[in-house]
Amino acid sequence: MLPYATLHDAETALNRSLTAAETLWFNYSADKSDYFLYCHNILFLFLVFSVFPLSYLLLEFLSRNVRAYKIQPKVNLSYSETFKCYGDVMRMFILVLIGVRTSLPLPSIWEVVAQLAVYFMVEDFGNYWIHRFLHCKWGYEKIHKVHHEYTAPIGFAAPYAHWAEVLILGIPSFCGPAIAPGHMITFWLWIGLRQIEAIETHSGYDFPWSPTKYIPFYGGADYHDYHHYVGGQSQSNFASVFTYCDYIYGTDKGYRYQKKLLRQ
């Protein structure tokens, strides 16, 4: 709950006028407890994982023209299989509360950008090694094979995994905010961007007009689809978002060799 009774009190404490965004946040959050605000996180995750995968689902079922961009066009899931995946994922979500800031002032654009950069780098490095561990014999057989049930992934399957994997791979996602704590708005933006990226990566479509094509070292759907296509034997393409760890540690050689053969 904000420690200010009125807008005037907030402006006096900050020694300046509130921005439009800060005024909006004050009007919404001033009389709400921190716990109530934290509960928005799970609602935010449900919204992201309902709306964004649905766009790929509609493309698949309503338009045949986009099938030219489908990475594994011979694999087609039924409505029941698709929504079973969605239901399993929704049941798997748990509420995680961390000590993010909810008060004024709101962070500046540059503060948000800097913190997001830290979050992505920390998550990417940690996720790479945990994901690589999950492809050892024990990790795969006991935990990770659930996620690889979808050899041709769909957007809803991005968080589809064994409950232990959800917990383990969630650690790198929260390490960044723990190392460089920010405002809840930054946290929502981080969770939103990270999960939208995961949905896009698991979408099964490689659109040439995607803006992510212009992000250096970004993996994308085609890159991660190869990992699912190879399956349990895969020792390639462990990257979460960016591909630099795979390149540095040589775990993208199979993918690059396949691409070389396709070009020839």
Side-chain angles (χ1 to χ4, degrees):
M1 182 178 293
L2 294 179
Y4 315 116
T6 65
L7 281 172
H8 177 72
D9 291 342
E11 291 177 334
T12 300
L14 297 176
N15 198 29
R16 62 172 174 80
S17 298
L18 298 184
T19 65
E22 288 172 336
T23 301
L24 185 65
W25 179 254
F26 180 91
N27 291 333
Y28 179 74
S29 65
D31 58 347
K32 296 177 176 63
S33 68
D34 286 343
Y35 177 79
F36 180 82
L37 294 174
Y38 290 147
C39 287
H40 286 56
N41 294 334
I42 193 64
L43 297 176
F44 186 72
L45 285 173
F46 270 91
L47 180 64
V48 169
F49 274 111
S50 296
V51 173
F52 286 93
L54 186 62
S55 62
Y56 289 100
L57 188 65
L58 291 175
L59 283 173
E60 174 146 2
F61 287 126
L62 300 180
S63 176
R64 295 186 177 276
N65 294 330
V66 299
R67 296 188 67 81
Y69 303 105
K70 190 170 183 178
I71 300 170
Q72 297 188 48
K74 294 182 180 180
V75 179
N76 296 288
L77 297 180
S78 66
Y79 284 102
S80 61
E81 290 173 320
T82 299
F83 286 105
K84 178 184 181 300
C85 175
Y86 173 75
D88 290 341
V89 167
M90 291 300 107
R91 285 192 294 270
M92 186 61 69
F93 277 139
I94 60 174
L95 177 61
V96 179
L97 305 179
I98 64 173
V100 294
R101 185 169 62 86
T102 61
S103 61
L104 296 175
L106 293 183
S108 67
I109 295 296
W110 293 114
E111 180 182 348
V112 170
V113 170
Q115 287 176 328
L116 288 177
V118 171
Y119 297 172
F120 270 109
M121 294 295 289
V122 170
E123 195 278 340
D124 209 58
F125 187 79
N127 187 290
Y128 172 86
W129 287 107
I130 294 174
H131 190 185
R132 191 167 174 178
F133 161 76
L134 289 174
H135 272 270
C136 72
K137 182 176 177 59
W138 183 91
Y140 187 83
E141 290 297 326
K142 299 296 184 181
I143 300 175
H144 195 48
K145 69 178 181 180
V146 175
H147 183 65
H148 275 270
E149 288 176 11
Y150 292 87
T151 56
I154 57 174
F156 285 129
Y160 180 83
H162 190 283
W163 64 267
E165 180 171 343
V166 174
L167 293 177
I168 295 170
L169 286 180
I171 294 172
S173 295
F174 291 99
C175 280
I179 293 171
H183 196 277
M184 180 172 282
I185 297 298
T186 308
F187 180 71
W188 288 352
L189 186 59
W190 156 239
I191 293 297
L193 288 174
R194 177 63 185 91
Q195 303 313 321
I196 290 170
E197 179 278 328
I199 292 166
E200 190 267 342
T201 297
H202 288 83
S203 68
Y205 285 90
D206 186 29
F207 296 124
W209 57 80
S210 174
T212 57
K213 294 284 187 182
Y214 302 98
I215 301 177
F217 302 106
Y218 182 80
D222 183 64
Y223 189 85
H224 192 68
D225 197 272
Y226 175 82
H227 177 80
H228 275 263
Y229 177 75
V230 177
Q233 305 301 317
S234 176
Q235 290 300 314
S236 183
N237 294 25
F238 297 114
S240 171
V241 180
F242 302 104
T243 62
Y244 65 91
C245 280
D246 278 318
Y247 182 79
I248 291 173
Y249 300 111
T251 48
D252 62 350
K253 293 180 179 179
Y255 173 76
R256 285 190 283 143
Y257 179 72
Q258 184 203 50
K259 288 301 173 185
K260 180 181 178 180
L261 292 180
L262 290 175
R263 285 194 298 270
Q264 292 176 345

